[in-house]
């Protein structure tokens, strides 16, 4: 659609997403709403890169090593990050998503490709942001975290075969997850209600990647993370503050009045919650977890300050210009 129609009559949102949001409220709009959910295709390379980044940055900021148990919020189209954690030696994984979009059969197919990447100690193919070079991870394989002895145990052929069976299990909405003879568990909970994550104080690490900007009730989610983490457990969240092309400016969602935003949202399963970086940090701290590190990527070319809508008019420059953030937090104890 040409630019003349893309921006409508001075409205801060694009026409197409506005029309889509409206249409989701019409009879039969449910299917359209479901169709607005887009997740990436299952990919061993991407899952590997995401996991090594979260693991590397958590360890850089004090986590002792790979966790025994991982919870992932919003895994999307596959559970490859969970699989990568198991191939790093974890024994328990639980993926929680508001939309059941993960392809479990495709996830099982990733076992071999992921194991090959670990066996080759492959560098991350496309490191992306945040770059980890300046943090002491050269972008090559993090041997200081995943040493040969650990990988020999984790990639043992019998263990790999057991993992493939585990991942290929029924999965679905099984709250307990599937368990293999080795005591490992692999669970996918979708739709997740956004509250309970796991029994209190039991999880070594929680990750979310490009998810927390979508969560409707981030306060409840961060509280659930804090409750689930074992004392000293880590949570890492990479958060994208861009408007998903819904607006003319990359951060134009902060120029959209609430009423209009509700129309764009329509009955989509989720959109973006418009919470700025400082809001996420406040909620993480309010939940009782300690913020250990914040990496923020600034971006220019955003919405002029005069065009901000309430309640965003007093947004600080650090929030307004933050396109992406990576937050490392830790449970006390
Ligand atoms: C942009 S995708 C990211 C998927 C994956 N983490 C990745 O990096 O490819 C956002 C994901 O967040 C999930 N999501 C949105 N709201 C959520 C919520 N309240 N609780 C859990 N997951 C949610 C979506 O269903 C989707 O899978």
């Amino acid at each position: 659609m040409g630019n003349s129609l893309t921006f409508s009559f001075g409205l801060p949102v694009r026409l197409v997403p506005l029309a889509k949001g409206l249409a989701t409220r019409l009879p039969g709009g449910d299917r359209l709403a479901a169709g607005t959910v887009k997740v990436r295709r299952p990919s061993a390379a991407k899952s590997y890169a995401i996991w090594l980044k979260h693991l590397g940055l958590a360890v850089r900021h004090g986590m002792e090593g790979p966790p025994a148990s991982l919870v992932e919020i919003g895994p999307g189209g596959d559970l490859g990050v969970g699989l990568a954690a198991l191939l790093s030696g974890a024994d328990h994984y639980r993926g929680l998503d508001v939309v059941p979009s993960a392809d479990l059969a495709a996830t099982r197919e990733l076992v071999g490709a992921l194991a090959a990447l670990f066996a080759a100690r492959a560098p991350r193919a496309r490191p992306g942001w945040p770059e980890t070079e300046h943090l002491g991870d050269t972008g090559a394989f993090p041997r200081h975290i995943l040493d040969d002895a650990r990988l020999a145990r984790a990639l043992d052929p019998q263990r790999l075969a057991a993992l493939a069976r585990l991942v290929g299990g029924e999965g679905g909405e099984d709250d307990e997850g599937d368990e293999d003879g080795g005591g490992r568990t692999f669970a996918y909970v979708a739709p997740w209600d956004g509250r309970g994550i796991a029994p209190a104080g039991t999880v070594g690490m929680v990750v979310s990647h490009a998810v927390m900007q979508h969560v409707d009730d981030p306060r409840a989610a961060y509280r659930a993370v804090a409750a689930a983490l074992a004392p000293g457990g880590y949570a890492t969240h990479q958060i994208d503050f861009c408007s998903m092309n819904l607006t003319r400016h990359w951060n134009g969602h902060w120029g959209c009045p609430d009423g209009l935003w509700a129309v764009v949202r329509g009955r989509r399963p989720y959109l973006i919650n418009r919470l700025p970086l400082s809001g996420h940090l406040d909620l993480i701290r309010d939940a009782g977890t300690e913020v250990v590190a914040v990496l923020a990527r600034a971006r220019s070319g955003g919405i002029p300050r005069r065009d901000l809508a309430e309640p965003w008019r007093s947004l600080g420059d650090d929030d307004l210009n933050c396109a992406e953030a990576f937050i490392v937090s830790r449970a006390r104890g």
Side-chain angles (χ1 to χ4, degrees):
M1 182 165 290
N3 266 352
S4 54
L5 280 178
T6 308
F7 305 111
S8 51
F9 316 111
L11 286 176
V13 289
R14 293 177 189 263
L15 264 187
V16 171
L18 180 64
K20 268 192 190 162
L22 270 171
T24 62
R25 297 205 181 269
L26 300 174
D30 285 354
R31 275 195 20 223
L32 183 68
T36 60
V37 172
K38 301 271 184 282
V39 288
R40 66 175 170 81
R41 287 166 182 275
S43 159
K46 283 191 182 156
S47 300
Y48 181 77
I50 291 172
W51 169 240
L52 287 190
K53 176 167 59 177
H54 283 258
L55 175 64
L57 285 167
V59 169
R60 172 68 182 77
H61 291 286
M63 191 167 77
E64 274 185 10
S69 57
L70 178 78
V71 167
E72 182 182 14
I73 302 177
D78 66 62
L79 306 180
V81 168
L83 206 45
L86 293 185
L87 295 175
S88 303
D91 283 325
H92 306 284
Y93 167 79
R94 176 174 290 218
L96 311 168
D97 208 307
V98 74
V99 177
S101 51
D103 182 334
L104 298 177
T107 299
R108 184 180 191 173
E109 298 298 313
L110 298 180
V111 174
L114 272 167
L117 289 169
F118 280 102
R121 276 66 168 169
R124 293 191 285 142
R126 281 179 44 223
W129 188 88
E131 300 286 346
T132 49
E133 280 75 3
H134 65 292
L135 297 171
D137 174 346
T138 60
F141 191 80
R143 287 172 189 268
H144 61 293
I145 304 172
L146 298 169
D147 61 28
D148 287 351
R150 168 178 279 274
L151 281 185
R153 284 195 304 275
L155 301 178
D156 172 80
Q158 280 189 346
R159 187 174 187 273
L160 288 185
L163 288 183
R165 288 193 298 275
L166 183 61
V167 174
E170 287 304 302
E173 297 171 17
D174 178 356
D175 222 338
E176 294 307 310
D178 295 313
E179 184 172 342
D180 69 2
R184 289 168 285 258
T185 58
F186 195 84
Y188 179 49
V189 181
W192 176 51
D193 68 5
R195 289 169 196 279
I197 282 187
T202 59
V203 176
M205 184 177 184
V206 176
V207 300
S208 73
H209 191 84
V211 174
M212 294 311 293
Q213 73 272 16
H214 295 304
V215 170
D216 280 332
D217 190 347
R219 180 182 294 279
Y222 286 124
R223 280 188 178 156
V225 171
L229 283 175
Y234 274 71
T236 51
H237 304 286
Q238 180 153 344
I239 305 174
D240 186 337
F241 294 99
C242 301
S243 78
M244 295 169 64
N245 221 17
L246 299 169
T247 60
R248 174 175 204 148
H249 296 283
W250 67 264
N251 57 355
H253 46 284
W254 286 317
C256 189
D258 283 349
L260 181 59
W261 192 253
V263 177
V264 179
R265 163 74 189 255
R267 289 166 58 203
R268 301 167 198 253
Y270 61 87
L271 194 58
I272 46 180
N273 55 34
R274 301 194 290 168
L275 191 64
L277 172 58
S278 62
H280 286 272
L281 296 174
D282 286 347
L283 293 184
I284 289 171
R285 292 189 182 106
D286 287 354
T289 27
E290 181 189 350
V291 173
V292 180
V294 182
L295 309 177
R297 184 170 72 82
R299 181 169 169 183
S300 57
I303 183 173
R305 184 168 276 287
R306 64 175 179 279
D307 291 344
L308 292 174
E310 285 299 348
W312 318 111
R313 292 218 165 98
S314 56
L315 215 53
D317 285 343
D318 286 352
D319 278 335
L320 185 59
N321 300 320
C322 179
E324 230 173 333
F326 193 101
I327 304 171
V328 182
S329 59
R330 177 173 55 204
R332 294 177 199 285

